Amino acid sequence: MPLLTVGHRGLMGAEPENTLRSFRRADREGLDAVELDLRLSKDGELVVMHDAEVDRTTDGSGAVAALTLAELRGLDAGLGERVPLFTEALDAVRAPLQAEIKDRAAAQVLARVLAERDEDRRVTVISFHDEALREIGALLPGVARGLVAGRSAPSVPERAAALGASLVSCELRWLDEETVGRCHDAGLTVLAWTVNTGEELSRARQLGLDGIVTDRPEIAARVRREA
């Protein structure tokens, strides 16, 4: 089977990360899914932002949790893009979404939005945080869940199974064939991040992965060509 391709924060190697422009680019380039990151604003709105602070990706400064939605919307997130609401991301693309909870407090709000919008089949909720996935599972038992891991990749088969997750998304450099095999034995889909070079793509294939998370449109295009 061909590798699944997941656009990392949209396609952040080509567009400003975690913006509607980036999500639409990933959708237009034909990636199989789009990954994004979720946090709560000071006034409890579900916004798309990777870092706990806005300093790196916008022209502002300060913690996301210390800024209201109106204040966040006043920032330039790159090329005139604004910090999007999660609901705007849902509306912007047709592709499935992988919504990563960066702050456990976002879990309840995300569950409510998915239920209200009837989007629990298009969205897979992913996180590094077991507690966030456990909470989402309790609130929306039918939603697909995925465990994200870096250095702790060797422990993911057991943790994912305990959480009722259907996939794991691990940093490529911490994956080996033994871990991938145990994941597959447990019925888990195995993705790796971040695959941005031909060498990394070859490594992903050697490991027998099910999919890759990439910043680069040319890597996604290469996967399609080789399929």
Side-chain angles (χ1 to χ4, degrees):
M1 291 181 63
L3 284 173
L4 295 171
T5 55
V6 180
H8 191 213
R9 305 177 203 170
L11 271 176
M12 63 176 285
E15 304 289 355
E17 68 177 70
N18 276 329
T19 62
L20 297 182
R21 178 184 178 117
S22 191
F23 304 146
R24 290 179 178 126
R25 175 73 179 270
D27 206 22
R28 193 167 65 247
E29 296 278 354
L31 278 86
D32 296 306
V34 179
E35 183 266 354
L36 51 79
D37 304 287
L38 297 177
R39 293 186 178 275
L40 290 182
S41 66
K42 182 180 180 178
D43 43 354
E45 296 291 342
L46 195 61
V47 296
V48 184
M49 177 72 65
H50 178 273
D51 297 1
E53 292 80 31
V54 301
D55 302 53
R56 181 179 63 84
T57 58
T58 78
D59 61 350
S61 63
V64 178
L67 298 170
T68 65
L69 177 61
E71 290 170 328
L72 290 167
R73 298 290 247 180
L75 305 178
D76 187 333
L79 300 178
E81 290 287 304
R82 301 298 165 189
V83 175
L85 286 162
F86 176 59
T87 51
E88 292 176 322
L90 284 171
D91 293 336
V93 300
R94 294 169 297 176
L97 296 179
Q98 292 186 1
E100 182 175 346
I101 297 175
K102 303 302 289 187
D103 172 7
R104 183 186 170 186
Q108 286 192 357
V109 181
L110 175 58
R112 186 176 71 245
V113 170
L114 293 178
E116 289 173 351
R117 295 286 298 264
D118 194 26
E119 288 280 17
D120 55 316
R121 289 178 295 278
R122 183 163 68 112
V123 177
T124 298
V125 179
I126 65 175
S127 185
F128 280 92
H129 307 296
D130 295 31
E131 298 83 358
L133 294 178
R134 203 171 284 119
E135 187 165 4
I136 281 288
L139 294 168
L140 278 180
V143 74
R145 300 181 295 284
L147 180 63
V148 185
R151 187 185 294 269
S152 64
S155 72
V156 296
E158 295 76 22
R159 288 171 59 203
L163 293 165
S166 58
L167 69 83
V168 295
S169 184
C170 300
E171 189 174 5
L172 180 63
R173 65 176 169 152
W174 301 113
L175 277 175
D176 56 34
E177 292 180 2
E178 191 269 339
T179 301
V180 174
R182 286 192 293 117
C183 287
H184 284 157
D185 288 345
L188 296 164
T189 298
V190 188
L191 311 179
W193 50 271
T194 308
V195 176
N196 287 333
T197 68
E199 182 180 357
E200 289 165 344
L201 181 57
S202 295
R203 175 65 176 156
R205 293 192 185 284
Q206 290 167 2
L207 288 170
L209 301 183
D210 302 294
I212 61 166
V213 183
T214 185
D215 301 332
R216 306 299 314 177
E218 62 270 22
I219 292 295
R222 177 171 170 176
V223 171
R224 288 196 301 274
R225 286 196 308 270
E226 292 178 353

